[in-house]
Amino acid sequence: MDAEERIARGLLYTETDAAPLQHRRRADLLHEYNMTAPGEVARRTELLGRILGSVGKRPVIASPLQAAYGSNVHIGDDFYGNTNVTFVDDVEIRIGSGVMIAPNVTLTTTGHPVHPDLRYDFNRFSAPIVVEDKVWIGSNAVVLPGVTIGYGSVIGAGSVVSRDVPPMVVAVGVPCRPLRAITDADLRERQA
């Protein structure tokens, strides 16, 4: 079984196994993106199109942006990512439209075995992440491998998301758990 099949099946694979996939990494383009001025909107948008697997309309990602590959990240329309967004995208991260990600958030599709004897040659496993439309992820949150965050949900600052989050909830904590539903009463909060 080749590395791509092992990775796709969520099986352990090593750095040596993953070496043939290095051509998918966008490190030089990420560096170039991070060196552009915030006002260079057209240039930054063009670079995002070359870095990421797919990009919707009107993306905004503040520098610095970090990614393991970049090419495995897919974002929808009207995406906003604040400073220090990190994508550990050994496999796909799919982000819907109208998603906002606060500063210092990490979405990691990859983890490592618990037993030290299995961590040779950076042995690891990967599982895709899905962030559905209109999600807001608060500062310093971490989203772990295999998680889906449902439509419209809010992830509280500092949360560690290790399990799926249903649609239309506020979820917080370590580990992250739904705190309450988002309801029409929330339409009246924080209005100008």
Side-chain angles (χ1 to χ4, degrees):
M1 177 180 323
D2 70 5
E4 284 191 78
E5 188 175 348
R6 292 184 66 73
I7 294 167
R9 294 172 112 191
L11 301 174
L12 291 177
Y13 63 99
T14 66
E15 186 67 19
T16 302
D17 294 334
L21 306 176
Q22 294 303 310
H23 68 281
R24 295 183 184 169
R25 292 190 187 269
R26 304 293 186 256
D28 289 345
L29 290 171
L30 281 161
H31 176 75
E32 189 175 341
Y33 180 85
N34 289 328
M35 295 299 109
T36 60
E40 294 180 70
V41 175
R43 177 71 178 135
R44 289 170 71 84
T45 301
E46 183 265 330
L47 282 167
L48 283 175
R50 294 173 57 202
I51 293 166
L52 303 180
S54 62
V55 180
K57 298 173 189 162
R58 297 170 300 279
V60 175
I61 302 179
S63 297
L65 165 64
Q66 306 299 328
Y69 286 85
S71 59
N72 291 322
V73 177
H74 304 271
I75 61 174
D77 296 340
D78 301 311
F79 173 80
Y80 182 82
N82 213 317
T83 59
N84 286 322
V85 170
T86 299
F87 299 119
V88 182
D89 62 318
D90 289 28
V91 297
E92 285 191 344
I93 297 173
R94 292 215 165 259
I95 300 172
S97 294
V99 171
M100 297 187 304
I101 297 180
N104 303 313
V105 170
T106 298
L107 286 80
T108 180
T109 64
T110 300
H112 301 278
V114 172
H115 198 286
D117 289 350
L118 293 176
R119 292 195 300 261
Y120 59 90
D121 193 14
F122 309 107
N123 214 5
R124 57 196 179 264
F125 63 88
S126 297
I129 291 172
V130 175
V131 178
E132 295 180 353
D133 293 348
K134 298 189 177 182
V135 166
W136 170 28
I137 302 175
S139 298
N140 299 303
V142 177
V143 181
L144 296 176
V147 165
T148 295
I149 300 173
Y151 173 91
S153 285
V154 174
I155 304 300
S159 295
V160 177
V161 188
S162 58
R163 296 186 182 124
D164 290 352
V165 174
M168 294 297 288
V169 298
V170 174
V172 300
V174 179
C176 188
R177 301 261 195 261
L179 177 66
R180 67 173 182 88
I182 296 171
T183 69
D184 286 348
D186 292 302
L187 290 170
R188 293 183 293 279
E189 292 297 316
R190 305 240 177 162
Q191 297 274 332

